[in-house]
Amino acid sequence: MLTNSIHEVLENAAAAMQALKQYVPEQKAVFLRSVATEIDALGDALLQQAATETNLSIERLRGERARTTGQLNLFADMLMEGSWVEAVIDTALPNRTPPKPDLRRMLFSIGPIVVFGASNFPFAYSTAGGDTASALAAGCPVIVKAHPAHPATSQMVFQAIQTAIQKNNMPLYTVQHVTDSSFEAGKALVQHPLTAGVGFTGSLSGGRALYNYAVEREKPIPVFAEMGSINPVLLLPDAMKEKTAAIAKEYAASIVLGMGQFCTNPGLILCIKNEQLTIFLQELSRQIEASIPAAMLHEGIHQAYFTKMKNALLQKGVMLLQQSKTALHPMDALPTVAVVDATVFLNNPLLKEEVFGPYSLIVQCSDIQELLGVWKTVSGQLTTSIMGTENDFVNFPEIALIATEIAGRIVFNGVPTGVEVCPAMVHGGPYPACTDSRFTAVGIHAVKRWVRPVAFQNAPESLLPAELKNSNPYKIWRMVNNQLTKEAIVS
Amino acid sequence: MLTNSIHEVLENAAAAMQALKQYVPEQKAVFLRSVATEIDALGDALLQQAATETNLSIERLRGERARTTGQLNLFADMLMEGSWVEAVIDTALPNRTPPKPDLRRMLFSIGPIVVFGASNFPFAYSTAGGDTASALAAGCPVIVKAHPAHPATSQMVFQAIQTAIQKNNMPLYTVQHVTDSSFEAGKALVQHPLTAGVGFTGSLSGGRALYNYAVEREKPIPVFAEMGSINPVLLLPDAMKEKTAAIAKEYAASIVLGMGQFCTNPGLILCIKNEQLTIFLQELSRQIEASIPAAMLHEGIHQAYFTKMKNALLQKGVMLLQQSKTALHPMDALPTVAVVDATVFLNNPLLKEEVFGPYSLIVQCSDIQELLGVWKTVSGQLTTSIMGTENDFVNFPEIALIATEIAGRIVFNGVPTGVEVCPAMVHGGPYPACTDSRFTAVGIHAVKRWVRPVAFQNAPESLLPAELKNSNPYKIWRMVNNQLTKEAIVS
């Protein structure tokens, strides 16, 4: 796609931005629900297309589609509830010296957002995924750069979006679909002056490249790039005593789930070298040995997995624990777990790198202090998980606060795989999990990435947005003179 | 200051960060109030020191000190009210398939913040100013890089902060003061791995330089740089008919207030060429002619003002309207207004640049369409002001939505100078007013720059922060299962 086509796309998006300002929350909510409906209406044909392009199973894709439509509906609910706009009103005190003005503020869309989807979630993190849904909820037009690994799937979903746009009389270019898979097209989109923000899910190098393009612009724009994680797991001593084999089974399943192709895959397990660890490793080994390989998403990911996994195993001091013993088909991943001592791990930065696939590295520590020390060196994750009993938590109460510096989500006595779509979810974290730890990709707060506050001082009632009018026509929660209320303001 | 001293400063800040985690909101609120008290306790000596270093009047400084202590108390109030942490709780549904986990999230400090103060507000945007106050409220330790234009003032304020730290048993390095004025020290602070964020108020070139250092780091960090504004003013036709002379007087006063040394100074006035404009220009001219020059903040600002003002007047098509006729003392600014036609303005980008001082450029437009067209080319401001009657607003209702794209604050029938410190204030805007339009430097939302969300999944009650415990001990507003409530959760 030539640069002048990118230019046309952005001009169209800018026009859609202006048109969208005239749409009320209910219209946008109805539109989001309609996108969900149209995606469902594609039926099994969509699931089959995606299965062909990604090697994912139909059941997995059915579940993912439900999550995708669930996200769209969550944002529709958010729009109808209305308080997400953070309406704050401070009424005037004209007789004060100096007079206090009337000040009212709320959130507005920042402008057209370019969304780069992920290959490992062809629905939920792609064309109509969370970045698109949150940007639309924010009132931003979206330009989706179709992922080259599932172009036909993306096109089908885009068609569903187009149907929803037409059925609901939304601006024609509310969502656009760029199929040029070239690197230059991506750069041109990020650097076009009319682009206001970027959402990306993918590799560290890909995300950082886009971030670098965005920050060198004359007018820098925000980039929310979610770039992977090793999701360190802590196995505390008492939990290891009580539930040794159970933890091994639970984690083996999480490591191989989806052939490890989740950004929440547990790639690092920290434990103390003792009798329980020996039993744990035996059970983990059994589970991994018996695990069934399956095809990875695409050849690029497949090659990268084997390259990185083999390279990790070649590192001095890294001991292969076990691999699946089932024969591999082409494109299959090979579930693999390895073990290393803490001192070796601390001295080889390569061992902290994400190996995207069903691979996990167990780090053996001499005691809890060494374990906590290793943990603190892998800050910058989406999640960290802690397996512990009440006794462990009494013995190591500092663990929760340390965890808050390491990741955006702290999982207790569970696995990190499985991201609940709900208001309290945080899917984000310190760098390099994300380029901005202050935001989340999942949950209603995901909308905050795409909005900016604007204040109106002494505005005439007629020019105020509905959410800031005295009458509060949408009856939303607002902060009025420091009180949270839904009441109208009587002047 | 050698690099190893910067390193020591950041290590101290990191230690303070850990210690601060043990402090409850009330302790932090009491500390902020105590900082305010200790600043007041410096008495007139502080005002006199600042007057010596800045040439500002004692009354102006007295008012600014009140604003500074007001900000500190505003954040203390915010901490005691407690809902700023955005506590969101989604309780578990263990019998669902798959089981729904318990998810709870709130905001946490991102880490040590480096604050670069402004020379034009030696109290409110400096050592104990808004960036410092908001960062402390967020639980972040602060490293203030003292402004070289008012070092003794900064030192006195820092002493007051130290007194408050000691009196309240806060961690020793909660706030640190770096007096090395070198460019290298600033760069080292921004690029140190332990620095988590940067607040800056000053010039476009200074702010962009720091932003560029921050984004090239291995782990990029957020920079909130507020870098100036020309604060365009629209004089709508009916208002010009009804209040011609009154508007001229009001704006003349705003242009020369503080010798124009406010980021909110109105540097651009857009109007339609007609009879009223002639009268307006005559009155404005009278006011400016009679205005009294005063000393600027420091020599650097003084020189820059004359250089940029003279350069603007030299531009083809720019016509000097009037200057103050009073003889100048050394360091005095020279109030100046100039006039240019819209077509000339549109073709010379230099005319959009901020001239920091008592200078304003009036742009004559042939009609309202041309006026709106010029207005749209100067997007990226802190404020934009609209002088209009009800009739004007009926005739041009689109004006409010256009304004939301231009600036962070829209002022109706008033001047932009004068920033009310209240929850609804937005002091920020699209680039180049700020490096991130999604945040504000003033008001309680200023704290959002320095925090990140963390979610706890299935956490044991004992490890949850107080704000997320079932019992809600601080009785704060929380979103629980989509309901806004202060009630405890009964499991």
Side-chain angles (χ1 to χ4, degrees):
Chain A
M1 183 182 267
L2 302 168
T3 316
N4 56 359
S5 302
I6 296 289
H7 184 65
E8 204 178 320
V9 166
L10 265 304
E11 295 257 315
N12 289 338
M17 169 77 173
Q18 295 307 317
L20 279 168
K21 289 181 179 185
Q22 305 304 326
Y23 285 68
V24 298
E26 186 164 1
Q27 288 174 293
K28 289 182 270 192
V30 165
F31 167 61
L32 291 175
R33 298 196 200 287
S34 179
V35 172
T37 301
E38 295 304 327
I39 287 171
D40 277 336
L42 294 171
D44 283 358
L46 176 66
L47 306 184
Q48 279 147 17
Q49 178 65 72
T52 305
E53 288 188 311
T54 65
N55 300 316
L56 295 170
S57 72
I58 296 286
E59 311 98 78
R60 148 65 195 270
L61 289 165
R62 197 182 302 280
E64 190 186 327
R65 178 167 60 187
R67 177 178 165 176
T68 306
T69 53
Q71 278 172 174
L72 287 156
N73 282 305
L74 183 75
F75 285 111
D77 293 342
M78 182 194 82
L79 287 175
M80 293 310 295
E81 193 276 342
S83 68
W84 74 277
V85 301
E86 291 182 12
V88 183
I89 295 175
D90 298 307
T91 54
L93 291 171
N95 299 324
R96 195 191 67 176
T97 306
K100 181 185 181 190
D102 182 289
L103 249 303
R104 305 181 182 217
R105 68 78 103 175
M106 63 178 276
L107 298 171
F108 285 80
S109 151
I110 58 176
I113 306 300
V114 175
V115 172
F116 294 77
S119 64
N120 63 336
F121 276 92
F123 302 150
Y125 280 86
S126 192
T127 317
D131 286 356
T132 298
S134 56
L136 290 172
C140 300
V142 173
I143 298 149
V144 175
K145 188 168 182 302
H147 199 290
H150 51 263
T153 303
S154 190
Q155 189 62 41
M156 282 184 83
V157 173
F158 179 60
Q159 278 309 123
I161 295 171
Q162 287 293 93
T163 305
I165 285 173
Q166 285 150 26
K167 281 186 175 175
N168 295 284
N169 297 310
M170 298 301 287
L172 177 57
Y173 296 111
T174 298
V175 181
Q176 296 180 81
H177 193 235
V178 170
T179 54
D180 180 346
S181 61
S182 75
F183 163 96
E184 287 76 20
K187 182 177 180 183
L189 284 167
V190 172
Q191 295 201 321
H192 193 284
L194 292 173
T195 299
V198 178
F200 170 92
T201 312
S203 70
L204 177 53
S205 57
R208 188 60 192 259
L210 294 183
Y211 176 86
N212 290 344
Y213 294 144
V215 298
E216 74 186 14
R217 291 165 50 115
E218 184 194 330
K219 297 189 183 193
I221 54 174
V223 171
F224 183 90
E226 189 228 292
M227 304 176 295
S229 185
I230 55 176
N231 303 300
V233 183
L234 269 67
L235 304 183
L236 296 180
D238 224 54
M240 278 295 261
K241 276 188 211 146
E242 290 192 9
K243 307 183 276 181
T244 331
I247 295 176
K249 289 189 176 108
E250 198 178 0
Y251 266 90
S254 184
I255 289 164
V256 306
L257 186 72
M259 280 299 106
Q261 296 170 112
F262 295 117
C263 42
T264 49
N265 181 263
L268 196 76
I269 301 178
L270 311 180
C271 33
I272 297 167
K273 214 168 180 174
N274 57 23
E275 296 167 2
Q276 287 83 42
L277 182 54
T278 310
I279 299 168
F280 173 86
L281 292 175
Q282 283 167 357
E283 183 58 41
L284 186 68
S285 183
R286 260 194 290 275
Q287 296 291 326
I288 294 300
E289 182 179 16
S291 64
I292 310 295
M296 296 195 86
L297 290 159
H298 57 79
E299 185 53 33
I301 275 184
H302 177 242
Q303 274 186 20
Y305 173 64
F306 276 91
T307 303
K308 296 198 86 172
M309 181 264 281
K310 287 174 174 174
N311 194 28
L313 294 179
L314 281 174
Q315 301 299 306
K316 190 161 187 269
V318 174
M319 301 159 284
L320 172 64
L321 177 68
Q322 187 58 278
Q323 292 181 310
S324 164
K325 289 287 185 274
T326 305
L328 299 177
H329 300 105
M331 286 286 285
D332 277 2
L334 176 58
T336 301
V337 288
V339 184
V340 72
D341 280 345
T343 33
V344 174
F345 179 81
L346 288 168
N347 287 305
N348 187 346
L350 182 132
L351 296 174
K352 289 188 209 178
E353 290 179 21
E354 189 187 31
V355 176
F356 194 74
Y359 167 86
S360 199
L361 180 65
I362 290 92
V363 179
Q364 305 184 124
C365 308
S366 47
D367 54 31
I368 190 72
Q369 288 317 314
E370 188 171 52
L371 188 153
L372 296 178
V374 170
W375 191 36
K376 290 177 189 176
T377 69
V378 294
S379 172
Q381 308 292 344
L382 289 173
T383 78
T384 189
S385 303
I386 304 168
M387 307 300 281
T389 62
E390 272 188 49
N391 214 30
D392 285 316
F393 300 142
V394 165
N395 291 335
F396 312 113
E398 70 275 31
I399 230 146
L401 283 180
I402 298 172
T404 63
E405 292 196 19
I406 292 179
R409 177 164 59 110
I410 309 162
V411 179
F412 288 86
N413 291 318
V415 291
T417 39
V419 177
E420 183 72 23
V421 177
C422 62
M425 176 51 69
V426 174
H427 193 66
Y431 192 92
C434 286
T435 45
D436 194 336
S437 67
R438 299 171 301 170
F439 297 97
T440 172
V442 176
I444 53 170
H445 289 278
V447 74
K448 301 290 170 67
R449 298 174 287 172
W450 318 125
V451 289
R452 49 176 276 261
V454 178
F456 295 76
Q457 180 165 323
N458 289 336
E461 185 80 358
S462 60
L463 294 189
L464 283 170
E467 292 89 341
L468 297 180
K469 286 188 194 293
N470 281 341
S471 56
N472 195 9
Y474 301 150
K475 307 244 177 303
I476 63 172
W477 282 109
R478 313 190 291 187
M479 187 74 84
V480 179
N481 297 324
N482 281 302
Q483 297 299 318
L484 209 49
T485 174
K486 291 187 177 188
E487 298 301 312
I489 296 166
V490 182
S491 42
Chain B
M1 181 184 267
L2 302 168
T3 316
N4 57 355
S5 302
I6 296 288
H7 184 66
E8 205 178 318
V9 166
L10 265 303
E11 296 258 313
N12 290 338
M17 169 77 172
Q18 296 307 316
L20 279 168
K21 290 180 179 186
Q22 305 305 326
Y23 285 69
V24 298
E26 185 164 3
Q27 287 173 294
K28 289 182 271 191
V30 164
F31 168 60
L32 290 175
R33 297 196 199 287
S34 178
V35 172
T37 300
E38 294 304 327
I39 287 171
D40 277 334
L42 294 172
D44 283 359
L46 176 65
L47 306 183
Q48 278 146 17
Q49 178 65 75
T52 305
E53 288 187 311
T54 66
N55 299 317
L56 295 170
S57 72
I58 295 285
E59 310 99 77
R60 148 64 194 272
L61 290 165
R62 197 181 303 278
E64 191 186 326
R65 176 167 62 186
R67 177 178 163 176
T68 305
T69 54
Q71 280 172 173
L72 288 156
N73 281 306
L74 183 74
F75 284 111
D77 293 343
M78 182 194 83
L79 286 174
M80 294 309 294
E81 193 276 343
S83 67
W84 73 276
V85 301
E86 291 180 10
V88 182
I89 295 174
D90 297 308
T91 55
L93 292 172
N95 299 324
R96 195 190 69 176
T97 307
K100 181 185 181 187
D102 182 288
L103 249 303
R104 304 181 183 218
R105 67 80 103 175
M106 64 179 274
L107 299 171
F108 286 78
S109 152
I110 57 176
I113 307 299
V114 176
V115 171
F116 294 77
S119 65
N120 62 338
F121 276 93
F123 302 151
Y125 280 86
S126 192
T127 318
D131 285 355
T132 299
S134 57
L136 291 172
C140 301
V142 174
I143 298 149
V144 175
K145 187 169 182 304
H147 199 290
H150 52 262
T153 303
S154 191
Q155 188 63 41
M156 281 183 84
V157 173
F158 178 61
Q159 277 311 122
I161 295 172
Q162 286 294 91
T163 305
I165 285 173
Q166 284 150 29
K167 281 187 177 176
N168 295 282
N169 297 311
M170 298 300 288
L172 178 56
Y173 297 110
T174 298
V175 181
Q176 296 179 79
H177 192 234
V178 170
T179 54
D180 180 346
S181 60
S182 74
F183 163 95
E184 288 75 23
K187 182 177 182 183
L189 284 167
V190 172
Q191 295 202 321
H192 193 285
L194 292 173
T195 299
V198 177
F200 170 91
T201 312
S203 69
L204 176 55
S205 57
R208 187 61 191 257
L210 294 182
Y211 176 85
N212 290 344
Y213 294 144
V215 299
E216 74 187 14
R217 290 165 50 115
E218 184 193 330
K219 297 189 185 198
I221 55 173
V223 171
F224 183 91
E226 191 228 290
M227 303 175 295
S229 184
I230 54 175
N231 305 297
V233 183
L234 270 67
L235 305 182
L236 297 180
D238 224 52
M240 278 295 260
K241 275 188 212 146
E242 289 194 7
K243 307 183 277 181
T244 331
I247 295 175
K249 288 187 177 108
E250 197 177 1
Y251 266 91
S254 183
I255 289 165
V256 306
L257 187 71
M259 279 299 106
Q261 296 170 112
F262 295 117
C263 43
T264 50
N265 181 266
L268 196 75
I269 300 176
L270 311 180
C271 33
I272 297 167
K273 215 168 182 174
N274 57 22
E275 294 167 0
Q276 287 83 41
L277 181 56
T278 310
I279 299 166
F280 174 85
L281 292 176
Q282 282 168 358
E283 183 58 41
L284 185 68
S285 183
R286 259 193 291 275
Q287 296 292 327
I288 295 298
E289 183 180 13
S291 65
I292 309 295
M296 298 195 86
L297 290 160
H298 57 78
E299 186 52 36
I301 276 185
H302 177 244
Q303 274 187 19
Y305 173 63
F306 276 91
T307 303
K308 297 200 81 171
M309 181 264 281
K310 287 176 174 172
N311 194 30
L313 294 179
L314 281 174
Q315 301 299 307
K316 190 159 187 273
V318 174
M319 299 158 286
L320 172 64
L321 177 69
Q322 187 59 277
Q323 293 181 309
S324 165
K325 288 285 184 273
T326 305
L328 299 177
H329 300 106
M331 287 286 283
D332 277 3
L334 177 57
T336 301
V337 287
V339 185
V340 72
D341 279 343
T343 34
V344 173
F345 179 82
L346 287 167
N347 286 306
N348 187 347
L350 183 131
L351 296 175
K352 288 189 210 178
E353 291 180 18
E354 188 188 33
V355 176
F356 194 74
Y359 167 86
S360 199
L361 181 65
I362 289 93
V363 180
Q364 304 183 126
C365 308
S366 47
D367 53 32
I368 190 72
Q369 288 318 315
E370 190 170 51
L371 188 151
L372 295 178
V374 169
W375 192 36
K376 290 178 189 176
T377 70
V378 293
S379 173
Q381 307 293 343
L382 290 173
T383 79
T384 188
S385 303
I386 303 169
M387 307 301 281
T389 63
E390 272 188 49
N391 214 30
D392 285 316
F393 300 141
V394 165
N395 290 336
F396 312 112
E398 70 274 33
I399 230 147
L401 283 180
I402 298 172
T404 64
E405 293 198 18
I406 292 180
R409 176 164 59 112
I410 308 161
V411 180
F412 288 85
N413 292 318
V415 291
T417 40
V419 176
E420 184 72 24
V421 177
C422 64
M425 177 49 70
V426 174
H427 193 65
Y431 191 93
C434 286
T435 44
D436 195 336
S437 67
R438 299 171 301 171
F439 297 97
T440 173
V442 176
I444 53 170
H445 289 277
V447 74
K448 301 290 169 69
R449 297 174 287 173
W450 318 123
V451 288
R452 48 177 276 261
V454 178
F456 295 76
Q457 180 166 320
N458 289 336
E461 185 79 356
S462 60
L463 293 188
L464 283 170
E467 292 90 340
L468 297 180
K469 286 188 194 295
N470 281 340
S471 55
N472 195 11
Y474 300 152
K475 307 242 177 299
I476 62 171
W477 283 108
R478 314 191 290 188
M479 186 74 84
V480 179
N481 298 323
N482 282 301
Q483 297 299 318
L484 210 47
T485 175
K486 290 187 178 188
E487 298 301 310
I489 296 166
V490 182
S491 41

